[in-house]
Amino acid sequence: MKKPWGGRFEKDTDQMVEQFTESVSFDRRLYHEDIRGSIAHAEMLARCGLVSETGLVAIREGLRDIEREIEAGTFEFQVPLEDVHMNIEAALIRRIGDAGRKLHTARSRNDQVACDLKLWSRGALDGFLALLTDCQRALLEKAEEYRELIVPGFTHLQHAQPVLLAHVLLAYVEMFERDRGRLGDCRARLNVSPLGACALAGTSLPIDPRSAAEELGFDRCFSNSIDAVSDRDFVIEFVGDLCLVALHLSRLAEEWLIWSTPEFDFVDMDEAFCTGSSIMPQKKNADVLELLRGKCGRLYGDLMALLTVFKGLPLAYNRDMQEDKEALFDAVDTVRSSLQVAAELVRTTAFKKENVARACARGHMDATALADYLVGRGVPFREAHEAVGRVVRAAAADGVTLQELSLEQLCSFSEVIAEDVYQVLGTQNCVENYRSHGSSSPSEVERQLNTWKERLAE
Ligand code: ARG
């Protein structure tokens, strides 16, 4: 098959080389953006007098026909034509002849692929903003459903202080909001058109890249053609941002996994979201959660691949850059399905209130509240900490909670303790007595819930 670039070659390309260098097997995913970019480019060429009006009509219609064929699955992508760009261009020329031969005027695949990839990334990125919002809504709904449920709050995975489940769930809402912010930042930097940079140097032809940029919804046009064709920061940044989404999902998954162990038994996972064992008939495994946790590894792999490909790469375009796509596609596909699954998983989980309450009674989680009580009565905190430490030791030795100690016993550790100490002991009192900003107090959690309800309202 004759290559679009075949003019200076006498020999055919080695078949092994064709297979090795092709990208059409994966970059065909860019067909929509490639066609959109080509139409905008042709329109710009027409405005600049480089393509006739009739030529433009033929190009536009030809490209739209090709797009329909691709969507119908009848378009035949050919490996000898290397990539999606040359496949579509060759098909256009087959269809409309000479007008099609003008499309690549003042354009190179270098600015073309950068443009396609930016358009594709921008679309994918916008999808993530919506998916993250959906995950946030799922968490918010769960938080509201169990707005009064107190759970053990952990540090070092040891019982620390009692908190509201809603407070815990809203912590993930915050994480996903930062992810949305990062993606928004990425979008703003990404949204600069590279089209019209040509191979690297620009062109001697009278083109108007700014008008094409505007047509394609870019905020502005590149200012340095060399940078425009060699920049893939946006891919790395986008995948980096997705790594953090995956990281957050892995933390949520791990939290849920811990809660789902028989030792904790805090959650009842919907059967539709669990899997069984091929040998142990009794098993109900949370494989979905494990995969959510595990997918994170793929994401870091994708990011590491990208960082490594671009390290030390000289200006401007180098074929190494073709290696950007599979990592990007994999990262996008993986995080997209992860977010979809995670949102449903949150929605279908029920919390086992009695088990949670039983766990709350363990671990003397009201010890800090007792120390604060002493502080309120003028005891310096370090001294209070020491005294409560001794109270806990005594309670633990007797196998009782702090609440179960008699006033007389409690007073033996500090003379400032009085009857009202029972208003601070116990998880319920602890939660009700929190008052600081952003704390697990019912009113502060209520405030957070209301803020998110407003922000996430459809
Ligand atoms: N398939 C190539 C890529 O994805 C397109 C650009 C090729 N440009 C070139 N001059 N060989 O990077």
Side-chain angles (χ1 to χ4, degrees):
M1 177 179 289
K2 179 126 176 53
K3 308 283 185 198
W5 40 255
R8 66 95 67 213
F9 287 80
E10 273 177 30
K11 273 190 168 181
D12 288 340
T13 314
D14 185 289
Q15 271 205 357
M16 198 161 65
V17 170
E18 276 188 343
Q19 287 298 335
F20 189 67
T21 55
E22 69 88 23
S23 57
V24 69
S25 58
F26 50 87
D27 69 13
R28 62 177 67 183
R29 283 180 75 162
L30 301 174
Y31 77 89
H32 174 72
E33 289 72 21
D34 193 67
I35 287 170
R36 190 174 166 200
S38 285
I39 291 175
H41 180 66
E43 285 168 347
M44 183 277 289
L45 291 176
R47 279 194 296 278
C48 297
L50 292 162
V51 160
S52 69
E53 266 312 309
T54 49
L56 172 62
V57 171
I59 290 172
R60 208 191 268 131
E61 282 173 6
L63 286 171
R64 291 201 176 126
D65 280 349
I66 291 169
E67 179 158 38
R68 276 191 286 275
E69 258 187 38
I70 295 173
E71 265 152 21
T74 53
F75 187 89
E76 256 183 66
F77 286 104
Q78 294 175 34
V79 168
L81 287 170
E82 276 185 38
D83 53 29
V84 65
H85 322 292
M86 292 208 297
N87 266 272
I88 291 175
E89 190 193 345
L92 182 70
I93 293 169
R94 273 201 305 277
R95 235 165 241 268
I96 66 167
D98 276 346
R101 289 191 180 87
K102 292 204 166 181
L103 174 62
H104 213 53
T105 307
R107 186 175 73 171
S108 150
R109 273 184 298 156
N110 300 349
D111 59 340
Q112 186 178 0
V113 69
C115 179
D116 294 1
L117 208 55
K118 281 195 163 188
L119 292 174
W120 189 89
S121 300
R122 192 177 68 188
L125 193 153
D126 289 340
F128 280 114
L129 296 177
L131 282 172
L132 283 162
T133 301
D134 189 51
C135 245
Q136 290 176 307
R137 287 199 184 115
L139 288 158
L140 180 64
E141 287 158 24
K142 230 4 96 172
E144 292 206 87
E145 185 181 339
Y146 293 97
R147 60 165 62 216
E148 271 152 30
L149 185 60
I150 297 173
V151 296
F154 295 91
T155 64
H156 315 276
L157 217 47
Q158 304 284 335
H159 281 205
Q161 287 179 287
V163 292
L164 288 167
L165 175 67
H167 196 200
V168 176
L169 297 178
L170 289 179
Y172 287 94
V173 174
E174 298 279 348
M175 288 183 219
F176 292 135
E177 189 62 17
R178 286 195 294 277
D179 290 331
R180 294 185 79 256
R182 262 184 293 273
L183 286 167
D185 293 345
C186 174
R187 192 190 200 283
R189 264 185 297 280
L190 168 157
N191 210 22
V192 176
S193 174
L195 200 58
C198 305
L200 79 162
T203 176
S204 59
L205 295 166
I207 60 168
D208 178 19
R210 284 202 196 90
S211 66
E214 199 179 319
E215 176 62 32
L216 291 169
F218 286 110
D219 296 328
R220 60 186 178 86
C221 180
F222 67 92
S223 39
N224 179 318
S225 62
I226 297 174
D227 177 54
V229 290
S230 69
D231 168 37
R232 292 292 184 277
D233 290 1
F234 64 98
V235 176
I236 299 174
E237 192 178 349
F238 185 16
V239 173
D241 292 349
L242 292 180
C243 278
L244 274 163
V245 177
L247 178 153
H248 291 151
L249 286 171
S250 80
R251 295 186 68 173
L252 182 128
E254 175 68 4
E255 199 93 66
W256 241 255
L257 273 165
I258 291 170
W259 289 345
S260 71
T261 58
E263 285 71 20
F264 271 77
D265 205 16
F266 284 7
V267 291
D268 194 6
M269 305 254 309
D270 194 296
E271 273 190 17
F273 274 77
C274 294
T275 47
S277 157
S278 60
I279 174 168
M280 296 166 283
Q282 86 284 10
K283 296 281 284 197
K284 177 182 164 192
N285 291 332
D287 296 30
V288 170
L289 291 170
E290 289 163 348
L291 281 166
L292 275 178
R293 189 176 56 183
K295 297 281 184 193
C296 208
R298 287 175 79 99
L299 260 290
Y300 296 179
D302 292 331
L303 179 62
M304 203 44 68
L306 287 166
L307 288 167
T308 310
V309 166
F310 285 89
K311 178 194 172 293
L313 209 60
L315 294 171
Y317 178 85
N318 299 272
R319 193 62 174 265
D320 315 43
M321 290 160 74
Q322 181 168 293
E323 291 294 314
D324 58 3
K325 283 166 217 62
E326 285 160 294
L328 171 66
F329 295 156
D330 183 65
V332 166
D333 293 343
T334 304
V335 177
R336 181 181 290 145
S337 57
S338 297
L339 280 169
Q340 285 163 343
V341 165
E344 272 325 283
L345 191 122
V346 169
R347 288 197 167 97
T348 53
T349 298
F351 284 81
K352 298 182 170 178
K353 294 184 181 175
E354 273 143 45
N355 294 353
V356 171
R358 217 171 299 130
C360 278
R362 303 215 314 263
H364 307 293
M365 290 194 294
D366 45 2
T368 308
L370 180 55
D372 287 348
Y373 169 86
L374 297 179
V375 167
R377 301 189 152 230
V379 182
F381 181 75
R382 271 294 149 238
E383 217 174 282
H385 187 288
E386 169 74 24
V388 177
R390 279 183 276 114
V391 177
V392 170
R393 205 182 332 142
D398 290 353
V400 295
T401 66
L402 303 189
Q403 254 177 328
E404 284 162 351
L405 294 171
S406 69
L407 185 58
E408 202 187 346
Q409 284 174 298
L410 285 167
C411 288
S412 70
F413 295 96
S414 166
E415 66 267 23
V416 303
I417 294 180
E419 181 67 39
D420 63 355
V421 71
Y422 294 105
Q423 285 159 32
V424 304
L425 295 177
T427 48
Q428 187 73 39
N429 285 330
C430 284
V431 168
E432 274 162 21
N433 290 330
Y434 292 138
R435 57 202 289 183
S436 62
H437 172 81
S439 68
S440 220
S441 81
S443 64
E444 276 298 298
V445 171
E446 178 81 15
R447 180 187 58 76
Q448 295 176 51
L449 282 170
N450 289 337
T451 310
W452 285 115
K453 259 194 283 185
E454 234 168 79
R455 285 175 72 170
L456 299 174
E458 269 151 291

